[in-house]
Amino acid sequence: MNYLWGFMIVTGVVFAAFNGTLPEVTEAAVGSAKEAVALCITMMGVMSLWVGIMRIAENAGVIEGAAKKLTPLLKFLFPNIPKDHPANRFIAANMIANVFGLGWAATPAGLKAMEELSKLEEERRNGRLPGPVRKPGIASNEMCTFLIINISSLQLISVNMIAYRSQYGSVNPAAVVGPGIVATFVSTAAAIVFCKVMDGKRRT
């Protein structure tokens, strides 16, 4: 990626030099830098607000309660994860954060979920837990399912996109909520169907 971006920058500067538009390139670079700083400040405020809300919800037991409500869904998606395994709590927290469009808040929970799934796979290899066992270095069914569903990311409120649209002067920043719900619902449904089909093939 470094080479790709470097090539694009050099190509743009050379092209501008040959066409006599270097002043425009300089102006665009300065303007973009200023715009990037303003956007970072805006997103920092939004991020701090929602991550704080998530932390309050976690300390108040809301996340734990929501995780229990998600137990039937988690059992359907991850039938080989034991009921009381810590991975369930982190997967639930990740899903809840993604539903509200909080990708930055979902990431830590997602990483912890992967760590717990890795420990679960190690316990299976050692014979301490039942279930299908994969060779070391190969992702388990649960890891693949979690990653795919996390990428498809059902969202009810696209906080990131709303913040971006607001920063750039959109008349109605929340107009993307409806289309976002439809698009992410379809992508998540397709992800679940795909995971179940592939999981069935792995078992045969």
Side-chain angles (χ1 to χ4, degrees):
M1 288 298 294
N2 290 337
Y3 290 114
L4 177 60
W5 284 109
F7 172 76
M8 293 173 64
I9 292 171
V10 171
T11 301
V13 172
V14 171
F15 182 82
F18 277 103
N19 286 272
T21 55
L22 275 178
E24 286 82 353
V25 172
T26 302
E27 183 179 347
V30 174
S32 297
K34 178 181 178 181
E35 196 172 291
V37 171
L39 180 61
C40 286
I41 293 173
T42 299
M43 296 308 298
M44 187 183 301
V46 175
M47 178 175 64
S48 299
L49 171 65
W50 284 100
V51 171
I53 291 175
M54 286 292 293
R55 181 57 61 86
I56 293 171
E58 183 179 353
N59 293 337
V62 175
I63 298 298
E64 185 176 352
K68 291 180 180 179
K69 296 291 184 182
L70 289 175
T71 298
L73 176 61
L74 295 179
K75 190 63 180 175
F76 170 71
L77 294 174
F78 308 97
N80 293 319
I81 298 180
K83 182 180 179 180
D84 298 324
H85 198 275
N88 286 318
R89 181 164 60 89
F90 292 116
I91 291 173
N94 175 271
M95 287 183 170
I96 292 168
N98 273 328
V99 163
F100 290 103
L102 307 175
W104 49 76
T107 299
L111 293 175
K112 291 295 292 184
M114 278 297 188
E115 287 180 9
E116 293 298 333
L117 291 176
S118 179
K119 293 177 183 177
L120 176 63
E121 193 67 11
E122 187 65 30
E123 291 177 347
R124 286 174 179 164
R125 280 196 288 267
N126 294 334
R128 291 196 293 268
L129 285 176
V133 179
R134 302 293 171 191
K135 295 179 180 179
I138 297 179
S140 65
N141 288 6
E142 292 81 11
M143 289 179 176
C144 294
T145 300
F146 174 65
L147 181 61
I148 292 172
I149 292 176
N150 184 64
I151 292 171
S152 65
S153 183
L154 174 65
Q155 291 187 5
L156 298 181
I157 305 173
S158 304
V159 174
N160 279 357
M161 191 58 64
I162 292 173
Y164 289 140
R165 287 168 58 85
S166 177
Q167 173 66 23
Y168 288 105
S170 173
V171 176
N172 186 9
V176 296
V177 171
I181 292 174
V182 174
T184 55
F185 176 81
V186 172
S187 66
T188 302
I192 292 173
V193 171
F194 175 80
C195 289
K196 288 300 178 182
V197 170
M198 295 305 296
D199 189 37
K201 288 184 177 181
R202 284 188 174 190
R203 294 177 187 275
T204 57

